[in-house]
Amino acid sequence: MPFNFKIRPALLEDEKAVLELVNELENRDSDPQIFTQIWREYLAHTHTYVWVTENPKNQIVGFLSVIGQNLLHHEGMVYEIQELMVTASCQGKGLGRKLIEALKNELKEKDVKSIEVTSNKRRKEAHAFYEAMGFTNSHEKFTIYF
């Protein structure tokens, strides 16, 4: 079956559609002013990749954001997936896989030590997806909330 979706770099004007995806994933309404500020920071950051996936009707149905930084303990660049979302109606069609593949293709010629992702413990299906994509569950994450 052909892949009828298009993956492309995100644009400023994609903000509203991506906000809707984030709200769907988090099951809440994000503050639009804060979202706008962070969205613009993402798109302006030197070591950030932000892509969207469009369906054949040019509607955004998926989103990937990745931020890279040099880390002392890795002795080089590490990219961390910040968000990977596919709207519920399009899950299971290979969109997440294609977004990860696009990221790996983008980074394969660069001097990158690793790609990392953190996923909430309750997201068991996401964990299975990441493991199927070749990620290893190698860390525990500890958080202090303010």
Side-chain angles (χ1 to χ4, degrees):
M1 178 155 77
F3 186 79
N4 294 324
F5 296 86
K6 178 172 70 173
I7 295 174
R8 62 166 175 80
L11 306 169
L12 276 174
E13 55 264 27
D14 295 328
E15 177 185 337
K16 183 176 185 273
V18 172
L19 173 62
E20 291 173 6
L21 284 172
V22 171
N23 288 342
E24 178 184 331
L25 177 74
E26 296 297 327
N27 197 27
R28 66 172 166 77
D29 290 331
S30 300
D31 181 311
Q33 289 179 319
I34 294 172
F35 190 91
T36 294
Q37 175 187 343
I38 296 170
W39 179 249
R40 290 179 183 196
E41 288 174 11
Y42 271 21
L43 295 183
H45 191 277
T46 303
H47 296 292
T48 299
Y49 295 96
V50 185
W51 287 300
V52 295
T53 307
E54 293 180 339
N55 67 12
K57 297 178 183 177
N58 296 322
Q59 298 166 318
I60 294 173
V61 294
F63 165 66
L64 172 70
S65 66
V66 184
I67 296 177
Q69 61 182 338
N70 267 314
L71 296 178
L72 291 170
H73 66 284
H74 284 287
E75 298 181 331
M77 285 297 289
V78 173
Y79 283 82
E80 182 176 1
I81 296 171
Q82 303 299 309
E83 291 101 3
L84 172 56
M85 306 166 194
V86 174
T87 192
S89 64
C90 291
Q91 290 177 4
K93 299 182 185 314
L95 277 65
R97 177 175 300 281
K98 292 288 189 184
L99 284 164
I100 297 286
E101 288 171 359
L103 174 64
K104 288 168 67 175
N105 286 335
E106 184 72 27
L107 297 178
K108 71 181 174 186
E109 300 299 322
K110 300 181 185 327
D111 187 21
V112 174
K113 301 297 180 180
S114 65
I115 301 171
E116 299 180 346
V117 63
T118 301
S119 181
N120 191 296
K121 288 185 178 190
R122 68 178 154 76
R123 299 188 191 281
K124 301 295 185 197
E125 289 180 13
H127 304 168
F129 166 77
Y130 289 121
E131 288 176 344
M133 292 300 303
F135 287 83
T136 301
N137 186 353
S138 62
H139 292 72
E140 292 289 332
K141 182 174 184 172
F142 299 91
T143 306
I144 296 175
Y145 293 100
F146 292 93

